[in-house]
Amino acid sequence: MPYISLNPTTNKIVKTYNSWDSQHLATALEKAYNTQQIWRETAFAERSKRMNRAAMLLHEDVTEYAKLITVEIGKPLREACAEVEKCALTCRYYATHAKDFLQDEIIQTDASKSYVSYDPIGIVLGVMPWNFPFFQVIRFSAPALMAGNGCVLKHASNVPQCALALEKLFYDAEFPRYLFTTLMIEAADVVDAIANPHVQAVTFTGSEAAGRKIAAHAGQHLKKCVLELGGSDAFIVLKDADLEQATTFSVKSRFQNCGQSCIAAKRIIPVAEIADEFVSLFKAKTTELIIGDPMNESTQIGPMARLDLRNELHLQVTDSIAQGAQMALGCELATGEGAFYPPSILDQVTAQTRAYHEELFGPVATIIHAANEEEAIHIANDTRFGLGSSIWSHDAEHAEKVAQKIHAGCSFINGMVKSDPRLPFGGIKSSGFGRELSYHGIREFVNTKTVWIR
Ligand code: NAP
């Protein structure tokens, strides 16, 4: 199958690329490995210079990069620009801090000197999704390259232009050729890349189903693996919450990137005292979202990334309605060209519905009513996912206590879940394992080596 760049706003093919055969893959991995063997010896100052240059290029050409994202997945241009700027920030962050994060750690023992060093691990394979086609890649590659590793990327097959632009970005920033290589391989060939002796580790961001397969392959070949998988984050609104703020941010969290974000507020859980007012405000603000051509500056909701994903989402919605959920807004297939789906709300969602248990990866809000705080916590944890969570209350101290009872990789109080290069990011349970970003992220793909001197 070729890689197809198809614009979901028009459903027209923009470009196609042939995928590689196994010989092409083996040669590319060998070149990446040979390059990394030299790169691993470079000083941090050398690495930082190039990483800062990558940041500068991203910042200078932000609109051009953003347009690639908008063309390939329909993300509103404004959001695509913000994604590219966040990539620049992340590159600068690791250019500045990698050396400190990977300093030798002296440890007093019976030796005259003993310490831990953080050596490069080798070539890291990144298997990445389309929903943040630049940021997901930068999130693993900026720390990996700064740690002295090489990176090979198997990107989602609907974002080949973004994938190739990222390879060119690192080359233009004067990283050695092949140190970052985009592999134009198919999903079925990922197993060959994992098995290749030149690859030492794999980081995967994407669906739970594919994550299980990647983890099994990595396990079989004893390769270190980090998994960033799906989520169904709870957004708990307690009785003393600021409802203006809570509704503004729940709408933003649920509908940004047309609802296609792993950390979106996928299960909104208001407690009984404020539920009616919350739902009414939430619905009013959702109705105001501007739908249209994602290239327009004012557009807030563009198409979904692919028609098949939209149709899959609609099936989850119609099944949930048949199972008892109430259609509070939207929930009907848009007519016309493009993979558009209207911002929708499913209210009174219960454990008898698909929407309660499954990740809805599109612009559909699920509202689950809780009788009280205790039930809200129970519902929040009644999921196989464990990525993020958000709790809203005037009493931040009390909300912090609630957060301690939530089983997830992060809890945000009076704020929507978002990633930040300074903070670790990742999940538990079926949302995966391992962490990206902060010093935790850079230490995932290093050889934590003990040195002991008599
Ligand atoms: P996906 O279908 O799992 O695809 C992700 C990547 O895996 C793509 O490059 C895909 O290649 C590849 N792939 C798919 N099946 C594979 C297999 N059997 N073996 C090897 N590689 C395989 O996920 P998606 O639809 O692109 O992304 C949406 C999901 O990602 C959602 O569940 C979302 O929550 C999750 N996500 C999680 C995070 C996080 O940080 N936790 C961030 C973003 C997204 P092809 O395109 O060629 O199939």
Side-chain angles (χ1 to χ4, degrees):
M1 263 267 290
Y3 272 72
I4 298 175
S5 182
L6 185 149
N7 186 336
T9 308
T10 59
N11 265 328
K12 301 252 173 358
I13 292 178
V14 184
K15 269 186 178 179
T16 56
Y17 302 82
N18 288 330
S19 47
W20 292 359
D21 62 19
S22 57
Q23 186 53 51
H24 201 151
L25 170 64
T27 307
L29 293 177
E30 189 169 357
K31 285 179 180 166
Y33 173 77
N34 291 338
T35 311
Q36 188 268 334
Q37 290 299 297
I38 300 166
W39 177 250
R40 59 173 291 140
E41 304 300 334
T42 52
F44 277 106
E46 281 300 304
R47 298 178 197 167
S48 293
K49 198 168 74 187
R50 290 167 171 85
M51 196 55 77
N52 277 321
R53 191 166 158 71
M56 191 189 75
L57 294 174
L58 285 162
H59 178 67
E60 278 177 3
D61 293 333
V62 55
T63 311
E64 292 315 305
Y65 290 122
K67 279 182 181 165
L68 291 180
I69 298 175
T70 301
V71 164
E72 292 200 307
I73 65 160
K75 179 174 293 191
L77 189 63
R78 232 180 0 174
E79 287 186 29
C81 286
E83 177 178 341
V84 176
E85 288 291 7
K86 189 163 179 179
C87 292
L89 178 78
T90 305
C91 289
R92 267 185 238 112
Y93 175 77
Y94 279 110
T96 307
H97 298 289
K99 186 178 176 194
D100 290 342
F101 291 159
L102 301 179
Q103 281 287 357
D104 290 350
E105 268 178 53
I106 301 284
I107 294 174
Q108 301 299 337
T109 63
D110 56 335
S112 65
K113 182 180 179 188
S114 48
Y115 61 96
V116 177
S117 70
Y118 297 100
D119 295 358
I121 199 168
I123 296 294
V124 180
L125 165 67
V127 182
M128 293 291 132
W130 47 264
N131 65 333
F132 286 83
F134 268 63
F135 184 61
Q136 308 290 6
V137 174
I138 294 293
R139 198 166 79 167
F140 92 85
S141 57
L145 294 171
M146 285 304 301
N149 297 317
C151 294
V152 292
L153 167 68
K154 187 305 188 212
H155 217 326
S157 45
N158 56 331
V159 289
Q161 294 198 68
C162 291
L164 292 167
L166 283 156
E167 181 181 67
K168 185 170 180 312
L169 166 75
F170 285 114
Y171 183 64
D172 289 348
E174 294 171 13
F175 284 87
R177 187 179 278 281
Y178 309 123
L179 188 70
F180 181 104
T181 301
T182 291
L183 310 173
M184 300 297 278
I185 59 170
E186 296 178 15
D189 298 325
V190 166
V191 56
D192 293 341
I194 293 173
N196 188 293
H198 293 317
V199 170
Q200 287 307 317
V202 51
T203 179
F204 173 77
T205 302
S207 63
E208 184 190 346
R212 287 182 189 279
K213 291 183 184 150
I214 300 258
H217 294 314
Q220 193 185 348
H221 295 282
L222 294 180
K223 306 273 167 92
K224 171 80 190 273
C225 156
V226 164
L227 297 179
E228 298 283 3
L229 309 180
S232 191
D233 290 5
F235 188 103
I236 297 177
V237 189
L238 297 178
K239 64 183 178 191
D240 62 346
D242 178 334
L243 294 189
E244 266 309 322
Q245 289 264 318
T247 46
T248 296
F249 282 98
S250 52
V251 168
K252 187 168 180 209
S253 172
R254 178 57 282 204
F255 295 106
Q256 73 171 359
N257 199 21
C258 203
Q260 302 161 121
S261 163
C262 55
I263 46 171
K266 298 208 179 94
R267 293 176 303 135
I268 298 167
I269 310 169
V271 296
E273 289 92 332
I274 47 79
D276 287 349
E277 194 183 346
F278 177 89
V279 174
S280 145
L281 267 174
F282 182 84
K283 185 173 167 183
K285 290 181 185 179
T286 304
T287 310
E288 284 166 11
L289 291 169
I290 300 167
I291 308 162
D293 181 347
M295 283 292 178
N296 289 345
E297 271 296 316
S298 56
T299 295
Q300 291 169 299
I301 302 278
M304 289 180 63
R306 297 195 318 246
L307 263 184
D308 62 309
L309 297 172
R310 179 191 73 164
N311 297 341
E312 213 174 283
L313 176 75
H314 188 55
L315 190 60
Q316 289 174 302
V317 168
T318 50
D319 281 354
S320 299
I321 293 167
Q323 290 158 338
Q326 281 178 18
M327 187 172 102
L329 186 71
C331 301
E332 281 170 354
L333 273 185
T335 52
E337 280 175 350
F340 286 90
Y341 198 82
S344 303
I345 303 174
L346 286 174
D347 197 6
Q348 302 288 349
V349 169
T350 66
Q352 276 67 50
T353 63
R354 290 183 69 184
Y356 185 96
H357 298 284
E358 298 177 11
E359 179 181 35
L360 265 53
F361 210 62
V364 180
T366 291
I367 298 181
I368 308 172
H369 292 250
N372 50 39
E373 180 181 302
E374 198 186 343
E375 196 185 20
I377 295 168
H378 167 76
I379 294 167
N381 289 331
D382 189 20
T383 170
R384 64 182 191 284
F385 295 110
L387 195 53
S389 56
S390 176
I391 298 134
W392 291 76
S393 164
H394 262 304
D395 184 346
E397 220 172 286
H398 178 71
E400 206 179 330
K401 291 201 176 82
V402 173
Q404 284 159 4
K405 296 179 183 166
I406 305 293
H407 309 153
C410 66
S411 290
F412 280 60
I413 291 157
N414 296 328
M416 60 185 258
V417 178
K418 59 181 186 197
S419 66
D420 179 323
R422 296 166 294 188
L423 294 168
F425 184 92
I428 57 169
K429 304 201 287 184
S430 291
S431 293
F433 47 74
R435 290 292 177 266
E436 292 191 293
L437 302 176
S438 85
Y439 74 85
H440 295 273
I442 199 168
R443 288 193 185 171
E444 288 282 2
F445 294 120
V446 288
N447 171 16
T448 304
K449 184 174 176 186
T450 294
V451 180
W452 187 98
I453 304 162
R454 185 177 295 282

